[in-house]
Amino acid sequence: MKILALSGSARRLSTNTALLRALEEIAPPDIALSTYAGLGGLPVFSPDLEDLPLPDSVVHFKRCIEASDGILISSPEYARGVPGGLKNAIDWLVSGDLVIAKPIALVHASHRGDDMLAALRLVLSTISSRFNEELFLRFPFMKMEPEAIADAVRQPINRGPAEAFLQEFARYCQRPSGD
């Protein structure tokens, strides 16, 4: 099972990226979770750029999406909305069919951010028939350093729910579309 994780933050010490990387560490052996690091390198989306050849960074991003069995997204809230880099990445996917039936779920590294989550849920439910709004993992890790987040995720009180979430998402990814 190949799961691609997307962080909505390009910040070096992002709590959302740290949460995704911590989930990589504890993922069961049958789940290969990898965090995509190139969102900040994608050019600003324009339909004019969709003509071949696509920019190399977009080609790489789309290949990563295509090779995955499912996508996990973790994002901060910027000005009560979806960060521009994440929205830009999603915009690169809307004109094709890569995410129409791709399983997608959210994780979140803060006790805040409900406005962004609502906006992101709207966008994801528009572009994917397999966005699962009910599968959601949230931890109150805002303002924690990446190593502290990794340590917190390793703790049994957090590791259990995190592993259960990953296993449930993997099961969801294996279900045929429409189930």
Side-chain angles (χ1 to χ4, degrees), residues 5-141:
L6 302 177
S7 175
S9 176
R11 196 172 131 244
R12 188 174 52 82
L13 297 176
S14 162
T15 55
N16 289 281
T17 303
L19 173 56
L20 293 172
R21 294 206 188 282
L23 292 175
E24 283 179 30
E25 288 181 28
I26 64 145
D30 59 335
I31 298 175
L33 179 63
S34 62
T35 302
Y36 183 77
L39 286 189
L42 295 174
V44 173
F45 172 76
S46 168
D48 294 338
L49 295 176
E50 287 188 299
D51 295 329
L52 298 178
L54 287 171
D56 289 344
S57 59
V58 175
V59 170
H60 180 257
F61 176 59
K62 287 186 172 195
R63 283 186 182 148
C64 290
I65 295 289
E66 186 174 28
S68 71
D69 296 305
I71 302 167
L72 291 179
I73 299 175
S74 187
S75 181
E77 179 178 84
Y78 288 175
R80 298 180 68 172
V82 178
L86 178 58
K87 181 62 171 74
N88 182 57
I90 293 169
D91 288 345
W92 275 108
L93 301 172
V94 297
S95 67
D97 60 1
L98 289 177
V99 293
I100 290 174
K102 186 74 68 175
I104 302 172
L106 298 176
V107 297
H108 194 60
S110 175
H111 62 287
R112 299 183 341 191
D114 291 334
D115 290 334
M116 179 280 303
L117 289 167
L120 187 55
R121 286 179 175 119
L122 179 63
V123 169
L124 295 174
S125 66
T126 301
I127 66 164
S128 174
S129 63
R130 300 282 317 274
F131 169 59
N132 190 328
E133 187 171 339
E134 295 172 16
L135 271 174
F136 180 59
L137 179 68
R138 182 181 223 165
F139 291 111
F141 293 158

